[in-house]
Amino acid sequence: MSEEHYLELCESPVQFENASAVNNVFFDEANKQVFAVRSGGATGVVVKGPDDKNSIAFRMDDKGEVKCIKFSFENKILAVQRTSKSVDFINFIPEYPHLEFSQECKTKNSSLLGFCWTNWNEIVFITDQGIEFYQVFPDKRSLKLLKSQSINVNWYMYCPETSVILLSTTVQGNVLQPFAFKNGTMSKMSKFEIELPAVPKPAKLSLSERDIAVATIYGQLYVMYLKHHSRTANSPGAEVVLYHLPREGPCKKTHTLKLNTTGKFALNVVDNLVVVHHQSSQTSFIFDIKMKDPDSTLNIHLPVLPPWSIHPYKIPLTGPVAVAAQAPVSCELYSSTWSVFQPDIIISASEGYLWHLQVKLQPVVNLLQDKGKLMDFLLRRRDCKMVILSVCSQMLIKGDKGNLPVVATVFDKLSQVYKEYLEAEQSYTTAVESGASRASTVHKRPVRTQAVIDQSDMYTHVLSTFTERKDSSHKFVIAVLMEYIRSLNQFQITVQHYLYELVIKTLVQHNLFYMLHQFLQYHVLSDSKPLACLLLSLESTYPPAHQLSLDMLKRLSTANDEIVEVLLSKQQVLGALRFVRSVGGHDNISARKFLDAARQTKDQMLFYTIFRFFEQRNQRLRGSPSFTPGEHCEEHVAFFKQLFGEQALMKPVTV
């Protein structure tokens, strides 16, 4: 069963003292820190972040019940809200005095709903009458108001990744006004209205912050609205409506996620997937907004996978060594005491745990049967490489010709991502080279994600092992290799020679020389020097490979020297000489190299022919058949005299 749990809680949660009558627990969404405040801080405050090395412990005076407590970035300044009128600050910067200072809301008779740090020294107060943006001066222990905006506020929500605060306004609360913060500036974004399922009469607050979440999905900011349908007989169930919130321009309703059930829900975003937890059924739905029904013009999505529960989690027992043998206790999943925060955090205050929710990709492989959809899904996930490669390997095991269209689809999806990365890399290189003089332009190198699966990945993890399998028909093996090469060619990706070598070795292994000959003849296998050398090595098994190799080297035109070396090494001295003459290089070649090769054949007539050729060349170029001292042919001249006598040497021809 556990193989089908595609969601799990992280193995190493942040542990803190559980909530109790004397211990209040707070969570800061910006720094992802949990604050355990005992007795208003008088008996200690312990702060734990995602990395336990950052845990901080301190005490502060008990000046009343703590409503909210957060550190600024890098834990430089602590802010504590105890009343609905002001926020207290404590310096944690080593060189500044560890003293408290306070700031009241500027707006008269307003009630402070909360605050958000937007930088290490910038803070926003949200009141029921608007927002106030301050700069904090820890050295002077004071604040300066940078900007404020009056607006009636019901509640607020903060997205730390984008520094956007969302305010719920109007009587019904369904008009949302976002503000963006960056480097000391506050900008008002386009307000938008959430469509309510029913308008109450008389008007009252109808949109709760429980039904709204803000998160970044695929690099874009979305407001997610959990829309509960009225409980009528024909009710289609709840849905999650996504509103895309751009930095500039209007906010638009872009996606609808159909839940087809009712009840209590909570939202997370994990690896760009929207996860909807359903408490009563104790299951979770996952949605991928990039996967849509091609027949649907509207962006209406159904869950990608069947709803399933989070993988069971065991809480390890801590305590004296005596109880170490006791089995860990199962954690109650989907508990009513759970608090869910964006993007991927689940907190159990009663048990003292903070988990990150994670997606497991391996179980998805068995749940998504359509390989094309599966590949689309996997390519968008963070740690996808090894899972994709294993899917490719599994797909080829016991495969047959009927499976080829599926194989082709998968290869094309991989090649497309690979090509997009290569183009981005090329554009970056070109921009850097051409823009070297324009220092003002900053070029960002494209990030190579795990979805970029290149030829060496496919060769190492899939194709080389696949060709060695004994249970696959050689025809299918060759068809698969050629399908991958076709896919690379289709996306105009240069095929690496080792893939061609794999094809040739497979063909030779099964004595399919006629097919090899055709592949080379019709240039299915692209010319390269390594390939030509491989063909030469096959000459003993398949004699025509020698000529095929020479033809290939000749087509490469940059490989003339290699061809000559290859022919000479095979003692085909006349063949080498004919080749040099055919490409017009015979006036520049080394006489000694050819005479050396001719002597090694121990064929006296061949030596005579080669010697006479160079004598004639000398006569034509210099007017004398003799070799110059620079050619270092003295021993060959002596050998010629020894064999054929001095009278056999060519006499100078005078005109």
Side-chain angles (χ1 to χ4, degrees), residues 218 271-272 288 290-291 376-382:
Y218 292 117
D271 206 358
N272 292 312
D288 185 346
K290 284 205 174 177
M291 283 181 98
D376 287 338
F377 180 86
L378 292 175
L379 283 166
R380 298 190 195 107
R381 307 287 76 84
R382 207 170 24 236

Side-chain angles (χ1 to χ4, degrees), residues 399-618:
D400 53 42
K401 282 283 173 76
N403 203 22
L404 270 180
V406 177
V407 172
T409 301
V410 169
F411 286 167
D412 285 350
K413 287 182 186 295
L414 298 181
S415 297
Q416 186 172 356
V417 176
Y418 180 25
K419 176 64 174 176
E420 283 166 7
Y421 170 74
L422 291 175
E423 283 179 342
E425 187 72 35
Q426 182 61 46
S427 301
Y428 167 78
T429 307
T430 308
V432 167
E433 285 170 359
S434 64
S437 55
R438 299 194 299 276
S440 59
T441 318
V442 179
H443 300 289
K444 276 186 82 175
R445 188 174 200 131
V447 178
R448 180 171 181 151
T449 66
Q450 285 209 13
V452 179
I453 290 173
D454 61 20
Q455 296 172 62
S456 65
D457 294 325
M458 284 297 286
Y459 176 84
T460 307
H461 298 283
V462 181
L463 299 175
S464 59
T465 49
F466 169 58
T467 55
E468 288 162 15
R469 291 186 65 87
K470 300 287 182 277
D471 56 356
S472 298
S473 83
H474 62 267
K475 287 183 180 176
F476 182 63
V477 171
I478 291 157
V480 166
L481 294 175
M482 296 316 296
E483 200 55 66
Y484 186 55
I485 289 168
R486 176 217 45 87
S487 180
L488 294 170
N489 284 327
Q490 187 174 315
F491 286 91
Q492 297 172 320
I493 299 167
T494 306
V495 181
Q496 295 298 319
H497 65 82
Y498 48 75
L499 289 175
Y500 290 136
E501 285 174 19
L502 198 56
V503 173
I504 291 174
K505 283 174 181 169
T506 307
L507 291 169
V508 169
Q509 196 179 343
H510 297 284
N511 295 319
L512 298 170
F513 297 112
Y514 69 93
M515 199 180 275
L516 170 61
H517 211 111
Q518 284 184 319
F519 281 175
L520 292 164
Q521 202 171 355
Y522 295 107
H523 307 298
V524 175
L525 307 176
S526 297
D527 297 344
S528 72
K529 287 181 188 177
L531 212 58
C533 292
L534 176 65
L535 286 170
L536 275 174
S537 70
L538 296 173
E539 188 185 1
S540 57
T541 320
Y542 181 56
H546 174 72
Q547 191 56 47
L548 289 168
S549 165
L550 291 183
D551 292 345
M552 184 179 285
L553 287 167
K554 198 168 182 180
R555 284 195 300 273
L556 286 166
S557 72
T558 55
N560 293 343
D561 292 343
E562 280 93 338
I563 296 174
V564 171
E565 293 296 337
V566 165
L567 290 168
L568 291 179
S569 70
K570 292 189 167 295
Q571 299 194 338
Q572 296 188 13
V573 188
L574 274 177
L577 200 52
R578 284 194 202 99
F579 173 75
V580 173
R581 290 189 68 175
S582 72
V583 295
H586 52 291
D587 287 351
N588 304 314
I589 54 172
S590 159
R592 183 182 172 180
K593 181 188 281 188
F594 276 78
L595 291 167
D596 280 345
R599 267 185 81 172
Q600 282 172 7
T601 64
K602 298 186 169 52
D603 181 338
Q604 293 183 5
M605 287 318 295
L606 175 67
F607 182 76
Y608 181 92
T609 306
I610 299 298
F611 192 90
R612 183 66 81 223
F613 169 82
F614 283 107
E615 279 187 320
Q616 288 169 346
R617 184 186 77 167
N618 295 343

Side-chain angles (χ1 to χ4, degrees), residues 1-6 304-306 308 360-371 374 377-378 387 390-391 394:
M1 286 286 279
S2 65
E3 292 81 47
E4 293 176 334
H5 293 281
Y6 47 77
V304 177
L305 303 168
W308 214 263
K360 292 198 295 180
L361 297 180
Q362 198 57 52
V364 177
V365 174
N366 304 321
L367 294 168
L368 260 182
Q369 294 305 315
D370 183 320
K371 288 287 188 289
L374 173 63
F377 180 86
L378 292 175
V387 180
S390 83
V391 167
Q394 289 298 316

